[in-house]
Amino acid sequence: MTQLEARPQAGDTGGAAAPREGGGVRGKGLGGNSVGLTGSTVIGISTVAPVYCLTSTLGATAAVVGLQMPAIFLAGFLPMLLVAFAYRELNRVMPDCGTSFTWTVKAFGPKVGWMCGWGLVVATIIVLSNLAGVATSFFWLLAGEITGSESVAALDGNKAVHILTVLTLIAIATAISYRGMTATKSVQYALVGLQLLVLAIFVAMAVGKAGEFETSLSFSAEWLNPFAVESFAAFTAGLSLSIFMYWGWDACLSANEETTGSGKTPGRAALIAMVVLVGSYLVTGVVAQMAVGSGETGLGLANPETSDNVFAVLAGPVMGTGLGVLLFVAVLASAAASLQTTFIPVARTVLAMSTYEALPASFRKVNPRFKTPGLATVVAGVGTGAFYTVMSLLSENVLTDTIYALGLMICFYYSLTAFACAWYFRREIRRSGRDLLYKGVFPVLGGLMLAAVFAKTLYDMWDPSYSGSSVGGVGTVFVIGVGLLLLGLVIMLVMNRRSPAFFRGEVLKRDTPSLVIAD
């Protein structure tokens, strides 16, 4: 019979286990106190991968909302910030690596919580596949620049070579993540520092280039006005892309059981990472628009021939041949860094779901040497490789389609988590003005915003013109998004038969202590 054994919240005790009758209290087996505030912040920034996000979505966002692209970056930041407050408050009382899964189960029950956890897992696999695709493209572009051979750069256009390279990068990232948080943290300091430095150089040189190109524009405060977007459909589509650009900051929350002061440090790290990200996006978006404009011709950001990878086109004109290579390196480093750290939330969510009997018991195994959820990490890598391979064979716009599908999943599980915060703390929000705002008002507002984007995006995705491709007359992105949610529903029904105790609410309850393991 399963017995849940509790350990004190690490935010209060520094992670030390207290003795109990009959033996010591254990956590899930993860390596405690492996990461501090700086390391946790770096993991949050790295998972988001700001340089990768910018090259992938600057052009796509400009194509959707035009000159209001910087305003959309601000609009996307608002619900993310409000949801980040919800994560911080929930983590303070429940520092559990299952994060959204654990919290929504305690607030709304097993079935809603299971689907929320599934949404997080699927979102992570989608973004892992997209990251590997972008990293592969820049790998071959960089190889072509270094060798001076166009034929080498053109290898990325060979589908077999591209897929094989993607699978190789996923395997490498899986191996590094398998070795634990210490290995992850050491790699991230260098990669995050490199990409932010090169991004700063790009911004400085883009300011100097403003006015030199035919498509250059003078700055206007109207660029920061979200109400100037032509239509609500364009606004929600742009917002979906913007939300994608902020996804990943919660990775530092998933590492809470391995963080010093797990009750407070991850929440602080998430907020710091958010501030760094919005500053980077706003500055880069504004200066890029000043330098080359948002038009659909030439170097314009919305040029359909280059909008899915703008830094590959702007590297030479803005930074010159020599320094332009640095931008290729930065994008590759950004995608590679995020590819590695993005394994953190998916592996630890699967570990928590298995620990609480919501997934098969085999996933709760933690490698005794590296203190990582080994099997969960490997399975996530295999699932990512399989997903990208299938998507590459089915879709001609695989990178764009996966970004849109990811935005849908993000809205799904972030909004559920935000509502879970307000419901879980519903009896406490009258205690003080702080509790009312941070545990009630802010989470509900953030959840409502993301739920609205989810509903509107789902409606728009039905139309094949949303992404330019279709399956049986239905938009490809709709098929991907809804199909993955339905797959989760099927798996949940199977697990309901295999683990009825969890779905009856007997394993994970509101009063179940944080940091537990099933024996």
Side-chain angles (χ1 to χ4, degrees):
M1 181 175 180
T2 298
Q3 180 184 8
L4 292 177
E5 299 178 347
R7 129 183 190 184
Q9 291 182 12
D12 301 326
T13 68
R20 69 171 179 84
E21 207 176 307
V25 178
R26 296 186 290 130
K28 296 186 183 69
L30 299 170
N33 298 327
S34 301
V35 185
L37 178 62
T38 301
S40 186
T41 303
V42 167
I43 286 174
I45 296 173
S46 174
T47 304
V48 176
V51 179
Y52 146 76
C53 285
L54 285 166
T55 194
S56 298
T57 55
L58 268 176
T61 307
V64 172
V65 301
L67 296 175
Q68 272 61 54
M69 178 253 294
I72 289 296
F73 290 166
L74 271 177
F77 171 70
L78 180 57
M80 287 289 126
L81 178 63
L82 296 176
V83 171
F85 285 125
Y87 271 73
R88 184 187 67 177
E89 297 305 314
L90 288 165
N91 185 73
R92 279 183 172 178
V93 299
M94 295 178 282
D96 188 282
C97 71
T99 59
S100 292
F101 160 75
T102 303
W103 301 333
T104 49
V105 169
K106 288 193 172 189
F108 297 135
K111 292 183 174 62
V112 174
W114 198 98
M115 286 303 297
C116 186
W118 173 257
L120 187 154
V121 169
V122 169
T124 308
I125 288 177
I126 292 174
V127 81
L128 280 169
S129 67
N130 190 277
L131 284 163
V134 171
T136 293
S137 295
F138 270 89
F139 172 80
W140 289 113
L141 284 172
L142 181 59
E145 287 288 325
I146 294 174
T147 61
S149 171
E150 293 185 3
S151 60
V152 172
L155 285 174
D156 185 55
N158 184 308
K159 184 165 288 189
V161 172
H162 179 88
I163 292 176
L164 182 61
T165 308
V166 165
L167 296 179
T168 301
L169 291 177
I170 291 173
I172 294 172
T174 303
I176 295 174
S177 299
Y178 188 89
R179 293 181 64 84
M181 293 299 296
T182 302
T184 297
K185 181 177 64 174
S186 302
V187 173
Q188 294 311 314
Y189 282 126
L191 294 179
V192 170
L194 172 64
Q195 62 177 295
L196 292 180
L197 174 62
V198 175
L199 186 60
I201 295 173
F202 171 82
V203 167
M205 298 191 75
V207 171
K209 292 288 184 178
E212 294 189 12
F213 303 112
E214 292 183 2
T215 54
S216 294
L217 298 172
S218 298
F219 173 75
S220 171
E222 190 72 2
W223 295 355
L224 301 176
N225 178 16
F227 299 103
V229 178
E230 291 185 358
S231 68
F232 186 63
F235 179 83
T236 55
L239 195 59
S240 180
L241 288 168
S242 179
I243 287 170
F244 156 76
M245 294 181 69
Y246 290 103
W247 181 87
W249 53 266
D250 54 317
C252 48
L253 277 299
S254 297
N256 50 20
E257 295 187 33
E258 296 148 277
T259 304
T260 301
S262 61
K264 296 180 180 179
T265 301
R268 292 172 179 170
L271 293 175
I272 294 172
M274 293 284 286
V275 172
V276 172
L277 291 168
V278 70
S280 301
Y281 292 160
L282 274 179
V283 171
T284 306
V286 168
V287 300
Q289 206 155 257
M290 290 172 60
V292 300
S294 292
E296 297 181 356
T297 60
L299 293 176
L301 295 175
N303 186 329
E305 296 182 1
T306 60
S307 62
D308 62 342
N309 198 346
V310 296
F311 284 161
V313 179
L314 298 183
V318 173
M319 301 181 69
T321 304
L323 289 177
V325 173
L326 279 180
L327 194 55
F328 286 2
V329 173
V331 176
L332 180 58
S334 181
S338 184
L339 183 62
Q340 185 215 328
T341 53
T342 303
F343 276 96
I344 293 172
V346 64
R348 282 146 186 81
T349 298
V350 170
L351 170 66
M353 293 179 75
S354 176
T355 296
Y356 296 117
E357 302 180 25
L359 285 177
S362 55
F363 288 112
R364 77 184 63 165
K365 296 178 181 178
V366 172
N367 184 283
R369 177 182 176 188
F370 300 121
K371 305 297 182 183
T372 59
L375 180 61
T377 302
V378 172
V379 171
V382 173
T384 299
F387 177 78
Y388 191 85
T389 301
V390 172
M391 283 296 300
S392 297
L393 298 176
L394 292 179
S395 173
E396 294 298 324
N397 306 302
V398 58
L399 294 180
T400 302
D401 286 349
T402 51
I403 286 175
Y404 280 124
L406 174 64
L408 192 69
M409 294 299 166
I410 292 170
C411 291
F412 175 74
Y413 85 86
Y414 273 176
S415 60
L416 278 178
T417 307
F419 293 139
C421 176
W423 187 252
Y424 185 85
F425 292 116
R426 65 190 183 278
R427 297 183 180 88
E428 301 177 20
I429 58 177
R430 297 181 182 179
R431 293 180 180 176
S432 67
R434 182 197 177 281
D435 285 343
L436 177 63
L437 287 176
Y438 292 121
K439 296 178 180 179
V441 176
F442 289 166
V444 168
L445 285 177
L448 287 173
M449 291 178 186
L450 293 178
V453 174
F454 175 85
K456 184 62 170 65
T457 303
L458 195 63
Y459 175 81
D460 292 339
M461 282 178 175
W462 179 271
D463 189 341
S465 64
Y466 189 87
S467 64
S469 59
S470 65
V471 177
V474 180
T476 302
V477 182
F478 182 92
V479 173
I480 295 170
V482 175
L484 289 173
L485 287 176
L486 290 176
L487 175 62
L489 185 61
V490 171
I491 296 175
M492 184 182 73
L493 293 175
V494 172
M495 288 305 304
N496 191 9
R497 296 179 63 87
R498 294 187 58 180
S499 303
F502 169 79
F503 290 96
R504 287 197 300 262
E506 298 172 1
V507 178
L508 181 56
K509 307 175 184 178
R510 180 184 174 88
D511 58 353
T512 300
S514 297
L515 307 182
V516 300
I517 188 168
D519 285 339

